Amino acid sequence: MKYTLFFKEALPEDYHLLGGKGASLASMTTANLPVPQGFCVTTNAYATFLESGKITDIIIEKVNNIDCSNVAELDLASEEIRQIILQKALPDDVEASIKTSYRVLCEMAGMNNDLPVAVRSSATAEDLPDASFAGQQDTYLWVVGEAEVLENVRKCWASLYTSRAINYRKNQEIIESEVLMCVVIQKMVNARTAGVAMTLNPTNGDRSKIVIDASWGLGEAVVSGEVTPDNFMVDKIMLQVLKSDIQHKHIEHIPDRANRCVVTKEIEGARASQPSLSETEVKEICRMAKIIEKHYKCPQDIEWAIDFDLPEGQNFTLLQSRPETVWTQKKVETGAIKMGMEGILNTLMNPISSKK
């Protein structure tokens, strides 16, 4: 039973144990892309935790009986389920596997069992083409030490049952027993700049463009909408920057090493209005985005960071890549409509053959 798997060790046949985010990180690591080192606490660990605590049936029954139109009832049931998960002890073999893998990760990074890591949720259904779980489960940053890692793994599992997540799955008619949670444990990036890149223009679906949003510090300020990020539009073929829209970025999320946490800091002076990426960095992000799109053979929505702790030219890191869904789904819908119309036209134009 595989309770933990390092990105570099995971084989394609293991990817179903890693959830959307974990499988993507493992796949990119195998392709020698610049992914920070890490491992996954697999869905086997989560399933074993539920079974050993005899709480699977309790959780499913509670979820199935929720009336999501009653917000108070939904919130109460959500809190009850999460408390059940947070209060149950981990099975000894699951806990031992997580501790061992964290120690190995610390050694790989040259740290003495106190490596800061990101603890990130990775649900098995989060990147389905017709459903988006993005942002529904929790991520915890700058987590240090075995005890904190174990606690935050349990918190990620519990976040599968927030009110929002439960309501979303019910609306999507996703079978509760089929959704499992992997947790990604990944070396923390000390981001100077971070953001997202899309290998098409999100406003019109133009695949000849790459669009980048970037801001100072960790990427949470961008994905949460706390700042209006710098925006760059680039020609995908020539890597020519077609448009740069530089914004006033008033805050950044940065690590507080002394207190082992991430803090929000006001950006003072001219730096707030300066570009968060150089033109060389914009082109490097685009170059890597093209490689990722080719790797996955479809348009991608990519999270990235420029690491303060790495030398220039080697400081670009990949944090996640998922398939772009909005324009891809529209293309599928348009194709289905077109095929339907062609069938109708063929029937009208060939009434005899259509009756055979």
Side-chain angles (χ1 to χ4, degrees), residues 154-208:
R154 192 187 280 103
K155 287 181 181 179
C156 284
W157 288 343
S159 73
L160 196 57
Y161 296 98
T162 62
S163 298
R164 179 187 172 198
I166 293 170
N167 184 58
Y168 183 82
R169 291 196 297 273
K170 277 184 170 284
N171 288 338
Q172 293 289 323
E173 298 182 349
I174 294 171
I175 299 172
E176 196 64 36
S177 60
E178 295 182 358
V179 180
L180 295 172
M181 177 72 86
C182 164
V183 179
V184 170
I185 313 293
Q186 188 173 27
K187 179 182 180 295
M188 190 70 206
V189 173
N190 183 17
R192 186 210 77 201
T193 302
V196 297
M198 299 194 72
T199 61
L200 51 65
N201 185 341
T203 61
N204 60 16
D206 181 359
R207 292 190 61 178
S208 71

Side-chain angles (χ1 to χ4, degrees), residues 1 8 29 55 82 95 105 114 140 158 183 188 221 242 259 266 273 275 311 315 322 327 332:
M1 185 73 76
K8 63 180 181 179
T29 298
I55 57 177
R82 284 182 284 131
E95 180 173 324
L105 183 60
D114 58 356
Y140 299 92
V183 179
M188 190 70 206
L242 303 175
N259 293 305
E266 290 286 333
S273 298
N315 54 357
R322 63 173 73 89
W327 288 99
V332 171

Side-chain angles (χ1 to χ4, degrees), residues 67 93 101 147 192 230 243 295 328 334:
D67 176 7
D93 48 355
S101 293
R192 186 210 77 201
D230 296 337
K243 185 180 72 170
H295 175 69
T328 304
T334 302

Side-chain angles (χ1 to χ4, degrees), residues 17-19 22 40-43 120-123 157 180-184:
L17 302 174
L18 311 183
C40 292
V41 180
T42 69
T43 56
R120 310 170 68 193
S121 301
S122 179
W157 288 343
L180 295 172
M181 177 72 86
C182 164
V183 179
V184 170

